[in-house]
Amino acid sequence: MTDESSPRGRSGARLVHLPVHRDPRGGLSFAQHPEQIPFVPQRHFLLFGLEGGVPRGAHAHRALEQFVICVHGSCRVELESGRGRDEVHLADAWTALHVPPMVWTTITPTSADVVVSVLASAPYDAADYIRDYDEFVRLVRGG
Amino acid sequence: MTDESSPRGRSGARLVHLPVHRDPRGGLSFAQHPEQIPFVPQRHFLLFGLEGGVPRGAHAHRALEQFVICVHGSCRVELESGRGRDEVHLADAWTALHVPPMVWTTITPTSADVVVSVLASAPYDAADYIRDYDEFVRLVRGG
């Protein structure tokens, strides 16, 4: 996987290293469009109370883009598109993962008490989800 | 303090209870404009590595609105505007605090290892900050 100044990973996903300010009170990281986030966020969701080894996600989106940060604990993210696969580890509040459309994404916590923040490029739309892996493979091979 | 179906608190801030989905893999809470968030987020920042008792914030914004969630650990938020004061406790991923402009806001962690997510209604603008409490008091009394 690569950072924002480099080509995308094989899947098309990209790691984005966020600006961080630190002082004795703690840290602050930030992201805004267009500098760090390649879209204006229309939705925010939080995955919380995740336990190690139990995967989340395991679906793709037809058009939605996502900006993923593991804000507490750590997780492994597996990404697959028609172009290739990537595996990344997220474990801090200053590393984001930009996931473009049509990437099958699985998030597996690798610690206890994991919290993941996701900014999404559109409001919720059930029709945008591809939940069947065989259908996903047909779509990326045919596309 | 009051929730989204009730009048605002004395300071003008408001608690928003987010929709939550739970299953054996963990929980998911979400927020989008306009249902839960009263603005389209233009910036996201994370406060992390906060330790109990050391306050953050202690400033107001001239125009910025914020949507605050304590995504790990717990914190106390003190809010003051020209209309009055509120104190709220945030300790979960499904309770957000909407802070309108011109509210002096101080966030104090009340546990170890606190992470706070903030969605903001505009990109960063140093001129929007009021960092001097006496100036803030003059502005709200004169306004």
Side-chain angles (χ1 to χ4, degrees):
Chain A
M1 285 293 296
T2 55
D3 72 15
E4 58 190 326
S5 62
S6 306
R8 291 175 178 274
R10 290 180 294 276
S11 68
R14 184 195 306 256
L15 288 175
V16 181
H17 299 287
L18 305 182
V20 178
H21 296 295
R22 293 177 190 278
D23 67 29
R25 304 169 303 167
L28 183 156
S29 65
F30 67 89
Q32 65 185 28
H33 171 78
E35 292 88 344
Q36 292 82 31
I37 312 175
F39 54 83
V40 174
Q42 300 290 322
R43 180 163 51 114
H44 183 219
F45 60 91
L46 291 162
L47 307 175
F48 60 90
L50 308 188
E51 295 306 327
V54 181
R56 299 271 329 202
H59 62 255
H61 288 277
R62 296 175 198 276
L64 194 76
E65 297 180 61
Q66 297 184 97
F67 194 80
V68 179
I69 303 174
C70 187
V71 299
H72 191 265
S74 60
C75 61
R76 178 177 72 245
V77 186
E78 293 160 287
L79 305 136
E80 178 185 351
S81 73
R83 291 160 288 191
R85 295 173 189 236
D86 289 303
E87 180 176 310
V88 302
H89 293 264
L90 299 177
D92 58 61
W94 57 91
T95 304
L97 176 68
H98 173 232
V99 182
M102 293 303 290
V103 177
W104 189 268
T105 304
T106 304
I107 299 176
T108 304
T110 53
S111 74
D113 205 8
V114 173
V115 183
V116 177
S117 160
V118 182
L119 297 171
S121 63
Y124 178 76
D125 175 9
D128 187 66
Y129 284 72
I130 304 169
R131 297 189 181 278
D132 182 89
Y133 182 72
D134 292 338
E135 180 189 358
F136 170 74
V137 170
R138 278 196 303 274
L139 287 167
V140 298
R141 288 189 180 161
Chain B
M1 285 295 297
T2 55
D3 73 14
E4 57 189 328
S5 62
S6 306
R8 290 174 180 276
R10 292 180 293 276
S11 68
R14 186 196 303 258
L15 288 175
V16 180
H17 300 287
L18 306 182
V20 177
H21 296 294
R22 292 178 190 279
D23 67 29
R25 302 169 306 169
L28 184 157
S29 65
F30 67 89
Q32 66 185 29
H33 171 77
E35 292 89 343
Q36 292 82 32
I37 311 175
F39 53 83
V40 174
Q42 301 291 321
R43 180 162 51 116
H44 182 220
F45 60 93
L46 291 162
L47 307 175
F48 60 90
L50 308 187
E51 295 306 326
V54 181
R56 299 275 323 206
H59 61 255
H61 287 277
R62 297 175 198 277
L64 194 75
E65 298 180 62
Q66 297 185 95
F67 193 80
V68 179
I69 303 174
C70 187
V71 299
H72 192 263
S74 61
C75 61
R76 179 177 73 247
V77 186
E78 293 160 286
L79 305 138
E80 178 185 352
S81 73
R83 293 159 288 192
R85 294 173 190 237
D86 290 303
E87 180 177 310
V88 302
H89 294 264
L90 300 177
D92 58 62
W94 56 92
T95 304
L97 176 68
H98 174 231
V99 182
M102 293 303 289
V103 178
W104 189 269
T105 304
T106 304
I107 299 177
T108 305
T110 53
S111 75
D113 204 9
V114 172
V115 183
V116 176
S117 160
V118 182
L119 297 172
S121 63
Y124 177 76
D125 175 9
D128 188 66
Y129 284 71
I130 304 169
R131 298 189 181 278
D132 182 89
Y133 182 73
D134 292 339
E135 179 190 0
F136 170 74
V137 171
R138 279 196 303 274
L139 286 167
V140 297
R141 286 188 181 162

